[in-house]
Each structure stands twice: as structure tokens, then as C-alpha cells.
Amino acid sequence: SLFNNCMSLTEISLPKSLKRIENRVFCNCKKLKNLKIDPSVELSPNYFKVNKSAQIKRAVTAKVRNAFRESYYDGQKECIIVDEDKYRDRTDIEVVIIPEGVNVIGAAAFLSCENLREVVLPDSLEVIEDNAFNYCGELEEIVFPEQLQVIGNHAFCYCSSIESIAFPKKLKRIGELAFSSCGNLKSVCFSSGLEEIGEGCFRDCENLQAFSWPASVQKINNCMFIGCSSLRDLKIPEGVTSIDSSIVSKCKNLKSIVIPSSLKEIGECT
């Protein structure tokens, strides 16, 4: 708590000899606008608890090699995970590079990293847990590795700068509201191995104009495209057997929807 409640402090420049910054060092430094930290400095998760109105201008690359929980055995193999909540609410991080060997990004690991604009994922990654990148509004692009199998609930919700997504071949499940409120999302490319897309996955993606549902997913869950106000064309392929209620509610510009002969059930609006 070295600079705790230094409310008039506006700028700090720290030496390159510094090795580590502990918790709450800059707590409540409400006027701090410029904090210069060398990327080699190790940062504790809560080193910078501050009023949200503070305008912080700095770039730090996250050193995720120090962010691992102890590896664990999942019944089949040893796994390495970026810990839950590890970088949550860090407004200083702009770039994250996750090294090879990491299998899981934990729940809310980068939640509300408001200035995060670039993430490099390793080929070894298999699971992105719930809320991992939720509210990362500056994140512009995400390239998923081929080994990825699961994207959790709300994982990329409110990532409003992402414009396109391409899913890898081994992906099996996308969770509820995973990409909801991605306001600039315009295109989505699916692979053939996908088995499940959770409720409201693309809800309120206001710039999504056309969508071809993957034939491997036989059910379209509730509120899938609700509020997609730019959606004009929706193609549902043969093989889909069930559509839940309200999938295209509030899609005011929808002009064309293709319904397959395989469809057996349309859910009741509750």
C-alpha cells in the first residue's frame, strides 16, 4: 500500500531495476493517468485497485508463465491452466501471449481487461472457461487453435471490437451467450465437428448480417439471434430437427429464412 490514497498523484515512472509490485500499491490513486512499468516487472493481481474513472495510459504485456495453477490430472492426462480471475479487471494489459503447454484458460481469467486488444493462444489450448474474456471491449481479433474443444458461457460476451470469427475443426461446444453483444461482429465461420451452441450465443450482435447454421448442430436454442438487428438472411440446413422460441425476435431487417424439411419441432414462446 505504498501509494495508497495518493489522490493527487498523476504520474509515476518506475526504474527498470524493479522486480515485483505487490497488492494494492496504487490503491485509490484516482488521478493517476500515466504509469510507466517495464514489461519485465512481475505484477500481483490486485496491485492497481483504482476508481474506474481514472484514465490510465500504459502498455503491459501479461507474463502468463507466472499465472499457472499447479498442473492437475483430469483422468486422462496432466493439464496446465491459467488460474481463475488471475488477471481480472486489469486495465493496464494490452497484449496477452499464452505459452505452449497451457491447456485451459480459467473462468474469468481476463474478465474486464478493458484495454486488452491482442491475445495469442497456444496450439495446446483445449478449453476456454466461462467469462474468460468477457467485457474485453478493445479485443479486435481472436484466432482459435486447432485443438480447442470447448468455449464456455459468456466467454467473449461484450467483446465489441471483434469483427469476424472462425471456429476450429475440433471444437465441440460453444456455451450460452458466448459471443452475445459483440456489436461489430459481421461474419462467423463454422467447422463440421461442432455439436452444441448454447442459448443466446449470438444475441444482440447488431452488425451480423448473414448466418449459415452448421449442419452438425441439430438444435437451435432459445434467443440465439434475438436483437441481431442487421441480420437479413438465415439459412438453416438439413439435419436440424428442433428450433426453440424467440431465435429471431427483434431481427427487424430479416428478409429471408430457409427452413429445412428435417425440422420436427418449433418451441413455444414463453
Side-chain angles (χ1 to χ4, degrees):
S1 303
L2 178 62
F3 298 101
N4 194 0
N5 289 312
C6 292
M7 296 184 183
S8 297
L9 190 65
T10 60
E11 182 175 352
I12 302 174
S13 182
L14 299 171
K16 291 184 178 180
S17 59
L18 188 66
K19 301 298 183 184
R20 177 175 171 81
I21 299 176
E22 298 290 351
N23 288 331
R24 306 182 69 83
V25 170
F26 303 103
C27 180
N28 210 29
C29 294
K30 294 183 177 180
K31 293 186 178 181
L32 184 60
K33 295 183 178 180
N34 192 357
L35 177 58
K36 298 178 181 179
I37 305 175
D38 191 85
S40 65
V41 176
E42 184 178 348
L43 303 173
S44 297
N46 298 317
Y47 80 100
F48 194 79
K49 289 289 184 181
V50 68
N51 189 303
K52 286 285 187 180
S53 64
Q55 299 296 316
I56 307 305
K57 297 180 181 179
R58 62 201 185 282
V60 176
T61 299
K63 295 173 62 180
V64 296
R65 64 175 179 271
N66 295 321
F68 304 146
R69 246 191 261 155
E70 294 218 355
S71 60
Y72 68 96
Y73 189 71
D74 69 353
Q76 295 181 326
K77 63 181 179 180
E78 191 176 41
C79 296
I80 299 177
I81 181 170
V82 177
D83 207 355
E84 295 178 5
D85 297 308
K86 183 65 182 181
Y87 294 96
R88 181 172 182 163
D89 297 320
R90 285 274 299 273
T91 57
D92 59 308
I93 296 176
E94 293 188 5
V95 179
V96 169
I97 302 173
I98 301 177
E100 286 299 327
V102 174
N103 310 111
V104 181
I105 297 177
F110 298 96
L111 174 67
S112 294
C113 289
E114 297 175 354
N115 293 311
L116 179 62
R117 55 181 171 76
E118 182 180 353
V119 175
V120 179
L121 302 176
D123 291 338
S124 56
L125 189 66
E126 298 177 1
V127 178
I128 299 174
E129 292 188 348
D130 298 352
N131 294 296
F133 295 95
N134 195 350
Y135 287 103
C136 293
E138 295 299 315
L139 185 60
E140 298 174 353
E141 182 182 16
I142 189 77
V143 178
F144 295 116
E146 286 301 316
Q147 299 300 317
L148 187 66
Q149 298 179 30
V150 177
I151 297 174
N153 300 337
H154 304 261
F156 294 90
C157 185
Y158 291 102
C159 290
S160 53
S161 296
I162 293 177
E163 294 188 5
S164 64
I165 300 169
F167 295 113
K169 294 179 180 179
K170 291 188 177 182
L171 187 66
K172 301 296 183 185
R173 179 183 178 273
I174 304 174
E176 296 178 5
L177 298 165
F179 295 92
S180 64
S181 298
C182 290
N184 280 318
L185 184 63
K186 297 179 177 67
S187 66
V188 179
C189 181
F190 289 101
S191 63
S192 58
L194 195 60
E195 297 175 357
E196 179 184 357
I197 302 177
E199 291 186 9
C201 185
F202 299 99
R203 179 172 183 159
D204 295 321
C205 291
E206 297 173 350
N207 280 302
L208 191 63
Q209 295 184 5
F211 197 98
S212 293
W213 189 260
S216 57
V217 182
Q218 296 184 357
K219 181 178 180 180
I220 303 180
N221 286 311
N222 283 336
C223 305
M224 187 60 65
F225 303 104
I226 191 172
C228 293
S229 54
S230 297
L231 186 65
R232 296 184 178 183
D233 302 291
L234 176 61
K235 182 179 179 181
I236 303 175
E238 290 295 330
V240 173
T241 59
S242 177
I243 298 176
D244 275 347
S245 62
S246 304
I247 67 162
V248 289
S249 177
K250 300 180 182 179
C251 293
K252 58 185 180 182
N253 287 308
L254 185 64
K255 295 181 178 180
S256 171
I257 181 168
V258 177
I259 304 293
S261 59
S262 59
L263 188 66
K264 297 178 180 179
E265 178 184 10
I266 298 178
E268 181 179 356
C269 185
T270 57

